[in-house]
Amino acid sequence: GQQVMQIPQYQHVQEGEDFTTYCNSSTTLSNIQWYKQRPGGHPVFLIQLVKSGEVKKQKRLTFQFGEAKKNSSLHITATQTTDVGTYFCAGLVSGGSYIPTFGRGTSLIVHP
Amino acid sequence: DGGITQSPKYLFRKEGQNVTLSCEQNLNHDAMYWYRQDPGQGLRLIYYSQIVNDFQKGDIAEGYSVSREKKESFPLTVTSAQKNPTAFYLCASSLGVEGRLLYGYTFGSGTRLTVV
């Protein structure tokens, strides 16, 4: 079936360093969502991107949707210990069902 | 406050027993979903329902069953036919779809099922 690949699987950073996670799809996506799951918690919806080339910001988080709508990224500037968790992307295939496909997530570990 | 409630938080069962996980939402969401999460596997879709009295199989439906008799409730039964039932189970709901726009999911806090 359609897959959304997410890399890296894990990322260790020192507090204050930047972090980026990437999502790639082999097929065009109509939109992509991002979620954050804290350790021991449940995923929480962060944002949805719909337009080609779209860029959205939430404080230190920057979300991008590629021009071809096949990839997306989440960039965190100057990480803090509160950023620890697993970040998931979920892509909705164009012309497909209304069920998004989740990536496997990137676990961010921030060292103080 | 509106939300989605899963119970219990932890559940232990003996092998061969069926077990039902509860999921209730008061968000007035049409769509509800069940996901299974295993370490390193991300979220895998078990079943989903976009309207009352209707539900569809997801990617890993074998060994599971659901019902959607009320808009607010979407219980999941893990049957003895499920080969490896120990996992973290997440229920989610959403407003569904408007045009081609998919609304974001609201997840419950999950149920950790351990089968011994």
Side-chain angles (χ1 to χ4, degrees), chain A residues 25-52:
Chain A
S25 170
S26 56
T27 55
T28 303
L29 303 171
S30 60
N31 53 52
I32 193 156
Q33 300 174 349
W34 286 92
Y35 294 80
K36 176 183 178 181
Q37 183 176 21
R38 294 182 186 275
H42 57 276
V44 174
F45 176 74
L46 294 176
I47 208 161
Q48 177 163 247
L49 304 173
V50 179
K51 300 177 183 175
S52 169

mmCIF file of all heavy atoms in Angstrom, chain A residues 25-52:
data_model
loop_
_atom_site.group_PDB
_atom_site.id
_atom_site.type_symbol
_atom_site.label_atom_id
_atom_site.label_comp_id
_atom_site.label_asym_id
_atom_site.label_seq_id
_atom_site.Cartn_x
_atom_site.Cartn_y
_atom_site.Cartn_z
ATOM 1 N N SER A 25 6.741 10.828 0.420
ATOM 2 C CA SER A 25 5.745 9.921 -0.131
ATOM 3 C C SER A 25 6.070 9.642 -1.589
ATOM 4 O O SER A 25 6.563 10.514 -2.299
ATOM 5 C CB SER A 25 4.354 10.552 -0.028
ATOM 6 O OG SER A 25 3.408 9.798 -0.744
ATOM 7 N N SER A 26 5.778 8.423 -2.035
ATOM 8 C CA SER A 26 5.999 8.079 -3.435
ATOM 9 C C SER A 26 4.875 8.610 -4.323
ATOM 10 O O SER A 26 5.004 8.681 -5.536
ATOM 11 C CB SER A 26 6.117 6.565 -3.588
ATOM 12 O OG SER A 26 4.970 5.930 -3.069
ATOM 13 N N THR A 27 3.758 8.975 -3.705
ATOM 14 C CA THR A 27 2.615 9.497 -4.452
ATOM 15 C C THR A 27 2.256 10.897 -3.954
ATOM 16 O O THR A 27 2.613 11.282 -2.842
ATOM 17 C CB THR A 27 1.397 8.581 -4.305
ATOM 18 O OG1 THR A 27 1.122 8.406 -2.909
ATOM 19 C CG2 THR A 27 1.643 7.214 -4.922
ATOM 20 N N THR A 28 1.565 11.642 -4.788
ATOM 21 C CA THR A 28 1.181 12.997 -4.436
ATOM 22 C C THR A 28 0.168 12.990 -3.297
ATOM 23 O O THR A 28 -0.765 12.189 -3.277
ATOM 24 C CB THR A 28 0.578 13.712 -5.664
ATOM 25 O OG1 THR A 28 1.524 13.682 -6.722
ATOM 26 C CG2 THR A 28 0.224 15.154 -5.334
ATOM 27 N N LEU A 29 0.383 13.882 -2.370
ATOM 28 C CA LEU A 29 -0.505 13.998 -1.212
ATOM 29 C C LEU A 29 -1.424 15.205 -1.385
ATOM 30 O O LEU A 29 -1.004 16.251 -1.866
ATOM 31 C CB LEU A 29 0.316 14.156 0.066
ATOM 32 C CG LEU A 29 1.324 13.046 0.373
ATOM 33 C CD1 LEU A 29 2.217 13.432 1.539
ATOM 34 C CD2 LEU A 29 0.598 11.741 0.662
ATOM 35 N N SER A 30 -2.662 15.060 -0.964
ATOM 36 C CA SER A 30 -3.560 16.220 -1.003
ATOM 37 C C SER A 30 -3.318 17.118 0.208
ATOM 38 O O SER A 30 -3.490 18.330 0.122
ATOM 39 C CB SER A 30 -5.021 15.780 -1.059
ATOM 40 O OG SER A 30 -5.342 15.019 0.083
ATOM 41 N N ASN A 31 -2.940 16.531 1.318
ATOM 42 C CA ASN A 31 -2.549 17.330 2.473
ATOM 43 C C ASN A 31 -1.717 16.477 3.423
ATOM 44 O O ASN A 31 -1.626 15.256 3.248
ATOM 45 C CB ASN A 31 -3.755 17.933 3.198
ATOM 46 C CG ASN A 31 -4.779 16.904 3.572
ATOM 47 O OD1 ASN A 31 -4.467 15.895 4.191
ATOM 48 N ND2 ASN A 31 -6.029 17.150 3.211
ATOM 49 N N ILE A 32 -1.082 17.116 4.362
ATOM 50 C CA ILE A 32 -0.273 16.397 5.334
ATOM 51 C C ILE A 32 -0.489 17.020 6.702
ATOM 52 O O ILE A 32 -0.623 18.237 6.840
ATOM 53 C CB ILE A 32 1.218 16.372 4.935
ATOM 54 C CG1 ILE A 32 1.989 15.357 5.779
ATOM 55 C CG2 ILE A 32 1.836 17.764 5.042
ATOM 56 C CD1 ILE A 32 3.251 14.862 5.121
ATOM 57 N N GLN A 33 -0.540 16.155 7.689
ATOM 58 C CA GLN A 33 -0.729 16.600 9.062
ATOM 59 C C GLN A 33 0.502 16.224 9.884
ATOM 60 O O GLN A 33 1.215 15.274 9.549
ATOM 61 C CB GLN A 33 -1.963 15.930 9.679
ATOM 62 C CG GLN A 33 -3.260 16.224 8.959
ATOM 63 C CD GLN A 33 -4.423 15.435 9.503
ATOM 64 O OE1 GLN A 33 -4.271 14.508 10.290
ATOM 65 N NE2 GLN A 33 -5.634 15.809 9.097
ATOM 66 N N TRP A 34 0.723 16.962 10.958
ATOM 67 C CA TRP A 34 1.804 16.660 11.891
ATOM 68 C C TRP A 34 1.251 16.527 13.303
ATOM 69 O O TRP A 34 0.378 17.305 13.713
ATOM 70 C CB TRP A 34 2.875 17.745 11.858
ATOM 71 C CG TRP A 34 3.735 17.689 10.629
ATOM 72 C CD1 TRP A 34 3.543 18.340 9.450
ATOM 73 C CD2 TRP A 34 4.936 16.926 10.469
ATOM 74 N NE1 TRP A 34 4.548 18.029 8.567
ATOM 75 C CE2 TRP A 34 5.420 17.163 9.169
ATOM 76 C CE3 TRP A 34 5.673 16.062 11.297
ATOM 77 C CZ2 TRP A 34 6.588 16.572 8.676
ATOM 78 C CZ3 TRP A 34 6.818 15.482 10.825
ATOM 79 C CH2 TRP A 34 7.270 15.739 9.522
ATOM 80 N N TYR A 35 1.767 15.535 14.014
ATOM 81 C CA TYR A 35 1.359 15.260 15.382
ATOM 82 C C TYR A 35 2.603 15.133 16.273
ATOM 83 O O TYR A 35 3.670 14.743 15.810
ATOM 84 C CB TYR A 35 0.581 13.938 15.472
ATOM 85 C CG TYR A 35 -0.746 13.953 14.772
ATOM 86 C CD1 TYR A 35 -0.834 13.780 13.395
ATOM 87 C CD2 TYR A 35 -1.931 14.131 15.482
ATOM 88 C CE1 TYR A 35 -2.058 13.797 12.745
ATOM 89 C CE2 TYR A 35 -3.162 14.145 14.843
ATOM 90 C CZ TYR A 35 -3.214 13.971 13.487
ATOM 91 O OH TYR A 35 -4.432 13.990 12.845
ATOM 92 N N LYS A 36 2.419 15.415 17.578
ATOM 93 C CA LYS A 36 3.481 15.217 18.559
ATOM 94 C C LYS A 36 2.969 14.292 19.656
ATOM 95 O O LYS A 36 1.836 14.474 20.151
ATOM 96 C CB LYS A 36 3.909 16.546 19.188
ATOM 97 C CG LYS A 36 4.961 16.372 20.291
ATOM 98 C CD LYS A 36 5.311 17.683 20.950
ATOM 99 C CE LYS A 36 6.336 17.467 22.073
ATOM 100 N NZ LYS A 36 6.680 18.741 22.760
ATOM 101 N N GLN A 37 3.793 13.317 20.015
ATOM 102 C CA GLN A 37 3.445 12.401 21.094
ATOM 103 C C GLN A 37 4.540 12.467 22.158
ATOM 104 O O GLN A 37 5.680 12.075 21.892
ATOM 105 C CB GLN A 37 3.287 10.966 20.567
ATOM 106 C CG GLN A 37 2.853 9.957 21.617
ATOM 107 C CD GLN A 37 2.616 8.573 21.022
ATOM 108 O OE1 GLN A 37 3.116 8.251 19.950
ATOM 109 N NE2 GLN A 37 1.836 7.738 21.702
ATOM 110 N N ARG A 38 4.190 12.962 23.328
ATOM 111 C CA ARG A 38 5.146 12.987 24.429
ATOM 112 C C ARG A 38 5.349 11.562 24.955
ATOM 113 O O ARG A 38 4.454 10.722 24.816
ATOM 114 C CB ARG A 38 4.650 13.886 25.557
ATOM 115 C CG ARG A 38 4.576 15.357 25.185
ATOM 116 C CD ARG A 38 4.132 16.191 26.371
ATOM 117 N NE ARG A 38 3.913 17.572 26.007
ATOM 118 C CZ ARG A 38 4.862 18.490 25.963
ATOM 119 N NH1 ARG A 38 6.101 18.172 26.297
ATOM 120 N NH2 ARG A 38 4.574 19.735 25.617
ATOM 121 N N PRO A 39 6.487 11.280 25.578
ATOM 122 C CA PRO A 39 6.717 9.938 26.138
ATOM 123 C C PRO A 39 5.605 9.537 27.087
ATOM 124 O O PRO A 39 5.251 10.285 28.002
ATOM 125 C CB PRO A 39 8.053 10.100 26.864
ATOM 126 C CG PRO A 39 8.749 11.206 26.147
ATOM 127 C CD PRO A 39 7.666 12.163 25.743
ATOM 128 N N GLY A 40 5.028 8.351 26.859
ATOM 129 C CA GLY A 40 3.935 7.868 27.691
ATOM 130 C C GLY A 40 2.596 8.502 27.388
ATOM 131 O O GLY A 40 1.602 8.193 28.054
ATOM 132 N N GLY A 41 2.552 9.372 26.407
ATOM 133 C CA GLY A 41 1.305 10.087 26.096
ATOM 134 C C GLY A 41 0.672 9.642 24.800
ATOM 135 O O GLY A 41 0.972 8.566 24.282
ATOM 136 N N HIS A 42 -0.210 10.466 24.292
ATOM 137 C CA HIS A 42 -0.901 10.159 23.057
ATOM 138 C C HIS A 42 -0.601 11.249 22.029
ATOM 139 O O HIS A 42 -0.219 12.363 22.392
ATOM 140 C CB HIS A 42 -2.409 10.068 23.296
ATOM 141 C CG HIS A 42 -2.999 11.311 23.890
ATOM 142 N ND1 HIS A 42 -2.998 11.575 25.236
ATOM 143 C CD2 HIS A 42 -3.607 12.368 23.299
ATOM 144 C CE1 HIS A 42 -3.581 12.723 25.460
ATOM 145 N NE2 HIS A 42 -3.956 13.243 24.311
ATOM 146 N N PRO A 43 -0.771 10.958 20.741
ATOM 147 C CA PRO A 43 -0.490 11.975 19.719
ATOM 148 C C PRO A 43 -1.424 13.165 19.847
ATOM 149 O O PRO A 43 -2.622 13.010 20.114
ATOM 150 C CB PRO A 43 -0.716 11.226 18.402
ATOM 151 C CG PRO A 43 -0.573 9.777 18.752
ATOM 152 C CD PRO A 43 -1.106 9.657 20.148
ATOM 153 N N VAL A 44 -0.857 14.344 19.617
ATOM 154 C CA VAL A 44 -1.625 15.578 19.647
ATOM 155 C C VAL A 44 -1.439 16.281 18.306
ATOM 156 O O VAL A 44 -0.307 16.449 17.843
ATOM 157 C CB VAL A 44 -1.169 16.491 20.797
ATOM 158 C CG1 VAL A 44 -1.868 17.848 20.723
ATOM 159 C CG2 VAL A 44 -1.430 15.831 22.144
ATOM 160 N N PHE A 45 -2.528 16.672 17.696
ATOM 161 C CA PHE A 45 -2.508 17.337 16.397
ATOM 162 C C PHE A 45 -1.799 18.681 16.509
ATOM 163 O O PHE A 45 -2.100 19.482 17.393
ATOM 164 C CB PHE A 45 -3.946 17.523 15.910
ATOM 165 C CG PHE A 45 -4.083 18.273 14.623
ATOM 166 C CD1 PHE A 45 -3.758 17.685 13.416
ATOM 167 C CD2 PHE A 45 -4.555 19.581 14.607
ATOM 168 C CE1 PHE A 45 -3.906 18.373 12.215
ATOM 169 C CE2 PHE A 45 -4.707 20.279 13.426
ATOM 170 C CZ PHE A 45 -4.383 19.668 12.220
ATOM 171 N N LEU A 46 -0.851 18.911 15.597
ATOM 172 C CA LEU A 46 -0.126 20.184 15.578
ATOM 173 C C LEU A 46 -0.631 21.098 14.479
ATOM 174 O O LEU A 46 -0.962 22.266 14.711
ATOM 175 C CB LEU A 46 1.379 19.934 15.379
ATOM 176 C CG LEU A 46 2.119 19.196 16.501
ATOM 177 C CD1 LEU A 46 3.567 18.958 16.094
ATOM 178 C CD2 LEU A 46 2.031 19.964 17.799
ATOM 179 N N ILE A 47 -0.661 20.559 13.227
ATOM 180 C CA ILE A 47 -0.948 21.429 12.098
ATOM 181 C C ILE A 47 -1.296 20.596 10.871
ATOM 182 O O ILE A 47 -0.992 19.403 10.822
ATOM 183 C CB ILE A 47 0.267 22.330 11.795
ATOM 184 C CG1 ILE A 47 -0.143 23.647 11.161
ATOM 185 C CG2 ILE A 47 1.304 21.586 10.941
ATOM 186 C CD1 ILE A 47 0.928 24.710 11.267
ATOM 187 N N GLN A 48 -1.918 21.239 9.887
ATOM 188 C CA GLN A 48 -2.186 20.611 8.601
ATOM 189 C C GLN A 48 -1.714 21.552 7.494
ATOM 190 O O GLN A 48 -1.949 22.757 7.546
ATOM 191 C CB GLN A 48 -3.678 20.319 8.437
ATOM 192 C CG GLN A 48 -4.038 19.737 7.079
ATOM 193 C CD GLN A 48 -5.396 19.089 7.075
ATOM 194 O OE1 GLN A 48 -5.520 17.879 6.932
ATOM 195 N NE2 GLN A 48 -6.426 19.892 7.238
ATOM 196 N N LEU A 49 -1.059 20.981 6.492
ATOM 197 C CA LEU A 49 -0.612 21.734 5.324
ATOM 198 C C LEU A 49 -1.369 21.214 4.112
ATOM 199 O O LEU A 49 -1.519 20.001 3.940
ATOM 200 C CB LEU A 49 0.891 21.564 5.115
ATOM 201 C CG LEU A 49 1.777 21.942 6.305
ATOM 202 C CD1 LEU A 49 3.218 21.565 6.022
ATOM 203 C CD2 LEU A 49 1.660 23.429 6.603
ATOM 204 N N VAL A 50 -1.804 22.131 3.261
ATOM 205 C CA VAL A 50 -2.656 21.761 2.133
ATOM 206 C C VAL A 50 -2.080 22.217 0.795
ATOM 207 O O VAL A 50 -2.164 21.501 -0.211
ATOM 208 C CB VAL A 50 -4.070 22.354 2.315
ATOM 209 C CG1 VAL A 50 -4.963 21.998 1.143
ATOM 210 C CG2 VAL A 50 -4.688 21.854 3.607
ATOM 211 N N LYS A 51 -1.479 23.393 0.755
ATOM 212 C CA LYS A 51 -1.063 23.978 -0.513
ATOM 213 C C LYS A 51 0.381 23.626 -0.856
ATOM 214 O O LYS A 51 1.249 23.527 0.016
ATOM 215 C CB LYS A 51 -1.200 25.500 -0.445
ATOM 216 C CG LYS A 51 -2.617 25.976 -0.185
ATOM 217 C CD LYS A 51 -2.658 27.481 -0.047
ATOM 218 C CE LYS A 51 -4.051 27.965 0.290
ATOM 219 N NZ LYS A 51 -4.082 29.424 0.554
ATOM 220 N N SER A 52 0.632 23.503 -2.144
ATOM 221 C CA SER A 52 1.977 23.262 -2.642
ATOM 222 C C SER A 52 2.902 24.383 -2.184
ATOM 223 O O SER A 52 2.575 25.562 -2.322
ATOM 224 C CB SER A 52 1.937 23.202 -4.167
ATOM 225 O OG SER A 52 3.229 23.232 -4.702
#
